[in-house]
Amino acid sequence: MQKKPPNSRAEGEEEGDSPLASWTPVNPPEGEPENSDSVVLDGADVSARSSDEGTPIASVAHLRDASAQKTGVAEKKLESVIPVTRATHDAKMLQPSLNRRHRLRRPWTLSLSSLLVTLVGSLLVLLTVQSFLSRQLDIKGCAMSYMRPGYARFSDFDTEHTRFASKYSLYLYREGGIDEDTMVKGVPVLFIPGNAGSYKQVRPIAAEAAQYFHDVVQHDIATLKSGTRSLDFFTVDFNEDITAFHGQTILDQAEYLNEAVAFILSLYHDPQRSSRDPDLPDPTSVILLGHSMGGIVARAMLTMPNYQAKSINTIITMSAPHARPPVSFDGEMVRTYDRINNYWREAYAQKWANNNPLWHVTLISVAGGGLDTVVPSDYASISSLVPDTHGFTVFTSSIPNVWTGMDHQAILWCDQFRRVIIRALMELVDVNRPGQTKPRADRMRVLKKWLLTGMENIAEVSLPQNEPTTLLTLDENSNAIIEQGESFTLNGFGSSKEVQAHLLSIPPQAVSTEKSFTLLSDQKLDLAEGGGSLEVLFCSVFPLQLGQSASLFSMSMDLSGNSSGSARLACKNAAADVIHLPASTKTSQYPFDDAAPFSYLQYDLEDIAENQFIAIVDKAVEPVSGWVFAEFSDNTKSHIRTDLGLGRLLMNGLRLTLPDDRPMVMDIKIPALHSSLLAYKLALDHQPCEEEAGLLRPLVRQYLQDPHESKFFVNVQETNINLHGIAPFMPPPLRQEAAAQGVSLRLWTDPTCKNPVGLSLDVDILGSLGKLVMRYRTLFATFPLFVVAIVLQKQFEIFDKTGTFVSFAEALDLSLRWTLPLLSVALSIFAITLARGSSQRPQEVSNGFFPWSRNATESVIDYTKNDLLVGSPDPFFWFLVPMFGVISVGGCIVLNYIVIGLTYFLSVIYDFALSRPGWLRNEDKRNYTGPVFAAASPTRRVATASVLLLLVSTIIPYQFAFLVACIVQMTTCTRALRLARDTRSSTHFAFYNYVHSLLIFMLWILIINIPVLLVWIHNLTVHWLTPFSSHHNVFSVMPIILLVETIACGNMIPRITTRLRIITQVLLLGFALHAAVYGVTYAYSLHQVFNLISVWLVAVHSFTGGFSLTRISQMLEGERSMIQPTRPHPHQHNKKRP
């Protein structure tokens, strides 16, 4: 063997390659067959045919025979290659190649660093899942509902009315035993089911509407005169369409529903189908009730070309993800959301109502809270879409007399909730108007009354607008007037066995503008004509002048005892403003317990400044148990604001001591508590009063102002605090100041117990882990692609430099040493930068010299500023980047070994069932020369690919073709593993590593494509064959098919020894960064970027070494001399390429 000059390099070798590349292999000794698995010199095996040329891998029989001689021949070759004078030095240089060769043949090998990262990632996943399933869980408090459903299908709503008649159907609900008449007679309400929902889901709410009207409303003459009528519930059978994964399905349903609305309204014009009073105007509008994705479809209806103006004016949605798509695996879904949300934002940004097509529309979004594990309740917020004048978001735990969270389905059948919804709908309808509802402002007032606690900033009090209705006459010498500044407590009613009034003087507004009035009682506040025990009146002196009559008042209450001197007060009843609170006694466990609620009143001093007295009237004439407490409190004493930062809160918690002379109601504002990613533990340390003296046990309200989420905790000692505040990837609200207020805690404590109360609040770290699941579900599917792309980049980097395509596990281990940590640090810094930019308030946009060129009310808010990376506007959560990186690395390692195990299993089946006849002896199996990569003819391959692409362009979505490509790649990987195991060749193991890594890449991409594929399969099951307009682009899958077909022929990708190899590195690094930064919001784009990478890999396969038609034919067909090899003659010597 001759040695090259020291400074010479082999052809294609670049600076920095291994010194051993200067050695050329020797021919085998005469009389021995040439070993195709030649000596490793530059880290790669020089095979019988150079792998740099991308030629097919040789057959098993040929390479097995060569491998059988390897033990003896390899040592001789090494001895002849390495001179004795440099044996020690060159042996050290050769050792890394031998080690790498050893690792190539042991794909199960796992380094210590990879093992540690996998263990840490697995531990994080286990803790997160355990926290999600068992920590910081809300209590389920829904009562079951019952009904006797009946459905009448409108068969005449056919293809003459809609092109979707063969797929969808329209029904009218009727409750058995109450309303079985199929003629329309009331106010039309259309129920829209959600993702994979059934039209029968309308039955709990519709049954309650029929029952309530039958039992209550139809007997109330005053209510009927006000315009209230029964509700005609219509429902739509969408054949359980999967709308959460497919944007076009949303548009199809919206188009169908607009046509259904027109058909429904036409029913009321037909005397043969309508039994309404002919004197009433025909309906021109329908109320929409949408569940889940049905709420999005409801909003999409108003953006469609076939929408009839003002045919919809009230939309109530339940658990609907308004703010952003639940998943972003479909590009059309993301674009559909953008079009819908931009339409609504632009409409409400108009300065004049005439320019706003949605001015008459009210939108209410009801969320179930933490129990909803299908749709994150953060996404139900409409704070970034609709102003407070036209809608709001409320959680079921806030709704009076409901006070419980609900899961995604329970919100439809929860008995407490359906009662509230129906009573709100009954109150807002007005059949005397063509729109069938009250004006928008009145509708909003009704919906706030029924769905909000009454303590929100947007809540309205009716007392200042009411006129006095009660004339209260008192003895001038009465001593029932409480001195100003004193509180009032009454424990027990009817002790005097006569009606008695207690007066509190209202402080003059000029004296103090920081006071507020609060009253709490365990009794129901009575109306003037009621028979309850407690009535609260706000009164002013009313001197009865000559000629005036007491008949001006609907109620007169004379408590003067026929005294000669008396005082007359004109009073307003406060029962309309009462706020219901869950009862908190020594026996209370949950706010939804079956117990009479507390009655609570709160007024700012300016709301009651026109009055002079508050009369608390004890109307009981017999002793009745109960209590009432009232006081004027100074806001500086009742409101506490903590400026504790999140970092200090995490380290030390919050500790407060409320003094013994505190007001009954205390508000503690904690602006740092605004993130939905953190959970807390709240504890109260208090000494309860004596049993006979105590009025109530501590009651806590946890609340946010936007969205309107309140949670009540009764008889509090310790409780969990979690919230839906500022959440990842959420668009900023229209009112930035509301989001910055954070969480507030309102405490009602017993005012008769003069004991201090200690409050402690600590971050629940383990409980907070579970909050990541719902907010980062998509990231768990996309962030691992960041890791896979970096690993594949490392494999190509080593391959292009040394010729060795290392295993996925080895490349991952090498990436963990430098590349992945460095990128994690860079992404963490980028996350901090994004969060700081997101937390800044939007700046006014200058219009330059043309101030009229922009609408005065046009929003300058960037609604996409939280779309990138981890999506958090809080720099505190920078650590999520490395945390998700560790979890993703562990997931990739687990998937790697799952794929290895699966391919090993399939290779065994392939080996014994397909490749070799089972009756052959072992020595015959060694000599078996059957084909390994039996390539079909070029014509057949081109025809197969053409048929598949033709189907993609017409019938099947490209996601199905990608699934086929994954299956083919799995088959290729199985055959490559079998070949490598049989030959023990490093070249063949390198080819297997290449195929295996691409398979892992494709399997992660497959996760993104599966949802749309499920939609297509579902459409097939309902015989709906209309193509998806957005998923038939053949160019979205053609490069991937060509790449898979090329690899299936056994073609190893050639090395790129020129500077063009940087293209591979840039493409894979770009994909990795794209997956990390844009993966959650634009997950669908990852398929397109992978498609671009496939274009480059196909080009490398095709054009390296020159482009020709012969080259393309060989790539598709495989070289038959390699597929069907013959054993070389023992004395034949083949020339080796340099």
Side-chain angles (χ1 to χ4, degrees):
M1 178 176 181
Q2 296 180 352
K3 183 178 179 181
K4 286 187 178 182
N7 297 327
S8 64
R9 290 197 300 271
E11 183 179 355
E13 181 183 348
E14 292 188 353
E15 292 287 346
D17 284 352
S18 171
L20 292 178
S22 61
W23 299 98
T24 56
V26 300
N27 292 330
E30 184 176 356
E32 292 184 7
E34 185 173 317
N35 184 10
S36 63
D37 185 26
S38 58
V39 179
V40 179
L41 295 179
D42 60 350
D45 291 316
V46 183
S47 60
R49 298 179 66 90
S50 173
S51 64
D52 290 355
E53 299 181 8
T55 53
I57 303 299
S59 69
V60 175
H62 182 197
L63 295 172
R64 183 191 289 111
D65 293 337
S67 179
Q69 303 170 5
K70 185 184 343 184
T71 304
V73 176
E75 289 85 350
K76 295 179 181 180
K77 289 186 178 182
L78 288 175
E79 292 174 1
S80 62
V81 169
I82 305 176
V84 176
T85 57
R86 301 182 57 191
T88 304
H89 173 73
D90 289 346
K92 294 181 180 179
M93 300 295 293
L94 189 62
Q95 190 62 36
S97 297
L98 295 176
N99 291 339
R100 177 165 292 165
R101 186 177 189 181
H102 177 70
R103 288 194 297 268
L104 278 173
R105 299 176 180 180
R106 298 185 63 184
W108 294 100
T109 303
L110 181 63
S111 67
L112 179 61
S113 60
S114 298
L115 177 62
L116 291 177
V117 173
T118 303
L119 292 177
V120 173
S122 301
L123 178 62
L124 288 174
V125 170
L126 289 176
L127 290 176
T128 301
V129 173
Q130 189 269 343
S131 174
F132 176 70
L133 296 177
S134 61
R135 293 179 180 270
Q136 289 284 337
L137 300 181
D138 295 338
I139 304 299
K140 297 181 179 180
C142 281
M144 185 57 67
S145 55
Y146 301 92
M147 69 291 299
R148 290 170 290 181
Y151 307 92
R153 181 181 177 183
F154 293 99
S155 58
D156 53 341
F157 185 51
D158 51 20
T159 53
E160 294 184 1
H161 298 85
T162 175
R163 64 189 180 99
F164 297 100
S166 61
K167 185 180 182 182
Y168 303 145
S169 304
L170 180 65
Y171 290 85
L172 173 67
Y173 179 89
R174 286 296 183 240
E175 179 69 6
I178 293 178
D179 188 9
E180 299 180 354
D181 184 5
T182 58
M183 297 186 70
V184 295
K185 61 189 110 179
V187 177
V189 180
L190 178 59
F191 173 78
I192 308 174
N195 179 60
S198 169
Y199 69 99
K200 296 181 179 180
Q201 290 176 324
V202 72
R203 60 186 183 268
I205 296 178
E208 175 62 23
Q211 192 74 44
Y212 180 66
F213 182 83
H214 178 269
D215 295 344
V216 179
V217 177
Q218 69 174 352
H219 305 296
D220 190 338
I221 304 301
T223 302
L224 293 176
K225 287 183 178 180
S226 67
T228 302
R229 293 293 186 275
S230 62
L231 302 178
D232 291 329
F233 271 88
F234 297 85
T235 181
V236 181
D237 182 9
F238 284 136
N239 273 311
E240 300 182 359
D241 261 348
I242 306 177
T243 50
F245 299 154
H246 195 232
Q248 186 59 45
T249 302
I250 292 179
L251 300 179
D252 291 347
Q253 291 186 0
E255 178 183 342
Y256 174 83
L257 288 173
N258 278 327
E259 293 159 347
V261 167
F263 178 80
I264 290 171
L265 294 176
S266 69
L267 297 177
Y268 292 86
H269 301 167
D270 187 353
Q272 297 181 353
R273 291 191 165 188
S274 175
S275 60
R276 280 169 57 102
D277 187 344
D279 295 332
L280 296 176
D282 292 329
T284 60
S285 180
V286 175
I287 299 173
L288 298 184
L289 199 63
H291 174 242
S292 187
M293 293 303 294
I296 310 305
V297 176
R299 288 201 299 121
M301 293 171 63
L302 285 79
T303 68
M304 300 296 292
N306 67 336
Y307 168 66
Q308 182 178 339
K310 296 186 178 180
S311 60
I312 300 169
N313 63 21
T314 303
I315 304 175
I316 299 177
T317 66
M318 299 168 289
S319 299
H322 290 287
R324 59 180 290 114
V327 291
S328 58
F329 295 159
D330 175 34
E332 186 62 27
M333 168 68 77
V334 176
R335 290 185 288 271
T336 298
Y337 256 84
D338 288 341
R339 286 194 296 267
I340 296 172
N341 288 347
N342 289 337
Y343 179 87
W344 281 69
R345 289 179 182 130
E346 292 172 3
Y348 287 116
Q350 300 302 314
K351 182 177 181 180
W352 305 107
N354 291 337
N355 298 329
N356 182 2
L358 304 178
W359 183 257
H360 63 289
V361 178
T362 55
L363 173 63
I364 307 300
S365 176
V366 184
L371 290 177
D372 190 344
T373 57
V374 176
V375 172
S377 288
D378 306 284
Y379 293 2
S381 174
I382 58 174
S383 302
S384 64
L385 300 170
V386 179
D388 292 338
T389 55
H390 289 74
F392 55 84
T393 306
V394 64
F395 285 70
T396 56
S397 57
S398 306
I399 300 175
N401 302 309
V402 177
W403 297 317
T404 181
M406 301 172 192
D407 62 45
H408 200 66
Q409 297 300 326
I411 201 169
L412 288 169
W413 54 259
C414 183
D415 188 56
Q416 304 100 302
F417 176 66
R418 67 169 186 161
R419 290 173 182 270
V420 173
I421 286 293
I422 291 305
R423 281 151 182 77
L425 289 177
M426 287 288 187
E427 189 169 338
L428 64 81
V429 301
D430 185 358
V431 295
N432 298 313
R433 297 170 51 89
Q436 302 298 290
T437 60
K438 291 179 170 64
R440 179 190 54 81
D442 293 339
R443 293 199 305 272
M444 286 297 299
R445 192 172 296 111
V446 170
L447 292 168
K448 290 176 183 178
K449 166 189 169 183
W450 285 100
L451 300 179
L452 298 183
T453 64
M455 293 176 280
E456 293 82 2
N457 290 338
I458 65 171
E460 302 177 8
V461 292
S462 61
L463 186 71
Q465 290 77 35
N466 293 342
E467 295 295 330
T469 57
T470 301
L471 180 62
L472 179 62
T473 305
L474 298 175
D475 184 0
E476 287 184 349
N477 299 321
S478 173
N479 58 0
I481 300 179
I482 292 91
E483 294 184 6
Q484 187 170 325
E486 296 291 329
S487 61
F488 170 74
T489 305
L490 178 62
N491 195 350
F493 293 90
S495 58
S496 62
K497 297 187 178 181
E498 61 180 10
V499 178
Q500 189 174 6
H502 306 272
L503 297 184
L504 276 75
S505 298
I506 298 177
Q509 191 172 3
V511 175
S512 175
T513 58
E514 298 295 330
K515 286 185 177 293
S516 58
F517 171 75
T518 55
L519 179 145
L520 184 65
S521 175
D522 63 349
Q523 300 294 306
K524 179 180 179 181
L525 296 194
D526 197 16
L527 296 172
E529 64 276 7
S533 302
L534 177 63
E535 185 173 353
V536 179
L537 303 173
F538 287 77
C539 306
S540 300
V541 175
F542 183 76
L544 190 61
Q545 303 294 335
L546 184 64
Q548 289 184 330
S549 173
S551 61
L552 295 175
F553 303 95
S554 60
M555 181 66 183
S556 179
M557 188 181 301
D558 189 353
L559 305 181
S560 63
N562 297 322
S563 174
S564 58
S566 61
R568 295 177 177 86
L569 303 177
C571 303
K572 303 176 182 179
N573 192 289
D577 290 334
V578 68
I579 298 171
H580 288 166
L581 298 178
S584 182
T585 64
K586 62 180 181 180
T587 60
S588 299
Q589 288 185 302
Y590 307 111
F592 49 81
D593 286 342
D594 188 13
F598 287 171
S599 297
Y600 177 64
L601 288 175
Q602 68 173 24
Y603 293 102
D604 292 332
L605 193 59
E606 61 183 9
D607 294 330
I608 57 177
E610 63 178 14
N611 302 292
Q612 297 169 305
F613 299 98
I614 302 174
I616 301 174
V617 183
D618 178 3
K619 300 171 64 176
V621 295
E622 295 292 337
V624 177
S625 62
W627 54 266
V628 61
F629 178 85
E631 69 176 349
F632 283 94
S633 59
D634 193 338
N635 290 346
T636 58
K637 294 183 178 180
S638 62
H639 290 71
I640 299 176
R641 178 184 175 91
T642 64
D643 295 325
L644 198 65
L646 191 57
R648 290 180 57 192
L649 185 64
L650 181 65
M651 296 296 297
N652 305 319
L654 173 65
R655 303 291 183 269
L656 290 176
T657 300
L658 307 181
D660 52 5
D661 59 346
R662 65 189 177 276
M664 175 186 64
V665 184
M666 295 288 295
D667 260 335
I668 304 172
K669 298 184 180 298
I670 316 174
L673 267 67
H674 58 256
S675 176
S676 61
L677 296 179
L678 294 177
Y680 308 87
K681 289 284 189 180
L682 173 67
L684 291 183
D685 182 15
H686 64 95
Q687 185 68 30
C689 291
E690 298 295 333
E691 293 296 330
E692 62 275 7
L695 303 182
L696 74 155
R697 292 296 175 89
L699 171 64
V700 176
R701 175 195 174 215
Q702 163 208 328
Y703 67 97
L704 292 168
Q705 290 292 355
D706 190 14
H708 302 301
E709 180 186 27
S710 294
K711 293 183 179 180
F712 293 91
F713 307 98
V714 299
N715 196 10
V716 177
Q717 293 181 340
E718 292 184 355
T719 190
N720 295 325
I721 300 293
N722 54 78
L723 58 141
H724 294 84
I726 298 179
F729 306 106
M730 286 290 291
L734 298 176
R735 297 190 303 117
Q736 296 286 324
E737 62 278 4
Q741 292 179 4
V743 169
S744 297
L745 300 176
R746 176 165 292 187
L747 280 71
W748 289 266
T749 55
D750 195 334
T752 62
C753 295
K754 300 301 181 180
N755 297 321
V757 175
L759 181 147
S760 63
L761 185 71
D762 297 286
V763 178
D764 183 1
I765 297 178
L766 292 180
S768 300
L769 285 176
K771 305 306 173 185
L772 300 176
V773 175
M774 293 300 297
R775 279 80 179 187
Y776 288 106
R777 293 182 301 181
T778 305
L779 186 140
F780 290 124
T782 59
F783 209 80
L785 282 166
F786 162 75
V787 178
V788 174
I790 294 300
V791 172
L792 198 59
Q793 182 199 38
K794 179 63 67 175
Q795 289 177 296
F796 273 104
E797 179 185 356
I798 297 174
F799 176 67
D800 288 336
K801 288 183 178 179
T802 68
T804 299
F805 207 96
V806 299
S807 67
F808 185 89
E810 183 178 355
L812 180 57
D813 178 51
L814 294 174
S815 300
L816 285 174
R817 299 177 185 178
W818 179 251
T819 308
L820 285 175
L822 181 63
L823 288 176
S824 296
V825 171
L827 290 175
S828 299
I829 297 174
F830 185 52
I832 295 174
T833 305
L834 289 175
R836 288 179 175 174
S838 176
S839 60
Q840 295 178 357
R841 296 181 64 87
Q843 301 295 325
E844 291 294 334
V845 178
S846 174
N847 294 323
F849 295 100
F850 305 100
W852 57 84
S853 62
R854 185 171 168 270
N855 191 295
T857 59
E858 185 178 343
S859 174
V860 295
I861 300 175
D862 181 10
Y863 294 103
T864 63
K865 64 182 181 181
N866 296 328
D867 286 351
L868 306 182
L869 208 53
V870 294
S872 176
D874 193 338
F876 175 81
F877 295 103
W878 64 268
F879 63 87
L880 291 178
V881 174
M883 175 180 171
F884 289 134
V886 170
I887 293 176
S888 298
V889 170
C892 290
I893 293 175
V894 171
L895 179 63
N896 174 50
Y897 288 108
I898 290 176
V899 173
I900 291 175
L902 182 59
T903 51
Y904 262 82
F905 175 73
L906 293 177
S907 67
V908 171
I909 296 178
Y910 187 88
D911 195 23
F912 289 97
L914 300 178
S915 297
R916 302 170 182 169
W919 57 85
L920 293 181
R921 295 174 300 177
N922 290 336
E923 56 270 19
D924 296 330
K925 292 180 182 180
R926 296 192 189 96
N927 298 325
Y928 181 65
T929 59
V932 177
F933 288 93
S937 65
T939 303
R940 181 176 177 182
R941 288 193 172 275
V942 170
T944 302
S946 300
V947 169
L948 185 59
L949 294 176
L950 178 62
L951 292 175
V952 169
S953 64
T954 55
I955 299 176
I956 66 175
Y958 70 77
Q959 289 84 357
F960 182 82
F962 185 81
L963 175 62
V964 173
C966 290
I967 296 174
V968 173
Q969 186 74 1
M970 175 66 76
T971 304
T972 305
C973 189
T974 301
R975 293 188 295 161
L977 176 62
R978 174 179 177 268
L979 173 63
R981 289 174 58 197
D982 286 342
T983 63
R984 310 301 298 172
S985 165
S986 298
T987 301
H988 300 150
F989 270 107
F991 175 70
Y992 163 71
N993 291 335
Y994 170 58
V995 178
H996 173 81
S997 296
L998 281 182
L999 176 61
I1000 293 178
F1001 208 163
M1002 294 175 67
L1003 290 178
W1004 281 115
I1005 298 292
L1006 182 62
I1007 296 176
I1008 298 174
N1009 288 316
I1010 282 178
V1012 175
L1013 190 59
L1014 293 177
V1015 176
W1016 177 71
I1017 295 173
H1018 172 267
N1019 281 357
L1020 289 181
T1021 61
V1022 298
H1023 309 291
W1024 184 254
L1025 303 179
T1026 301
F1028 294 169
S1029 60
S1030 59
H1031 298 90
H1032 292 280
N1033 186 356
V1034 295
F1035 296 104
S1036 296
V1037 75
M1038 180 188 293
I1040 299 173
I1041 293 177
L1042 292 178
L1043 177 63
V1044 170
E1045 285 291 330
T1046 301
I1047 297 174
C1049 296
N1051 290 305
M1052 178 62 184
I1053 191 169
R1055 290 175 60 191
I1056 303 178
T1057 57
T1058 66
R1059 294 181 179 179
L1060 289 177
R1061 64 188 178 189
I1062 197 175
I1063 298 178
T1064 308
Q1065 305 298 312
V1066 170
L1067 285 175
L1068 290 172
L1069 178 61
F1071 180 95
L1073 296 178
H1074 183 85
V1077 176
Y1078 296 96
V1080 174
T1081 303
Y1082 307 101
Y1084 67 91
S1085 64
L1086 296 178
H1087 174 96
Q1088 307 302 336
V1089 181
F1090 176 72
N1091 195 52
L1092 179 63
I1093 294 175
S1094 299
V1095 172
W1096 170 247
L1097 295 181
V1098 170
V1100 173
H1101 272 284
S1102 305
F1103 306 139
T1104 302
F1107 170 76
S1108 67
L1109 295 178
T1110 304
R1111 180 70 176 160
I1112 297 295
S1113 176
Q1114 290 177 351
M1115 182 186 67
L1116 290 175
E1117 183 179 9
E1119 297 191 19
R1120 296 185 181 275
S1121 61
M1122 295 303 296
I1123 295 173
Q1124 300 282 359
T1126 57
R1127 186 186 300 273
H1129 191 275
H1131 300 287
Q1132 180 180 356
H1133 294 275
N1134 295 331
K1135 293 183 178 181
K1136 306 286 286 187
R1137 296 182 181 177

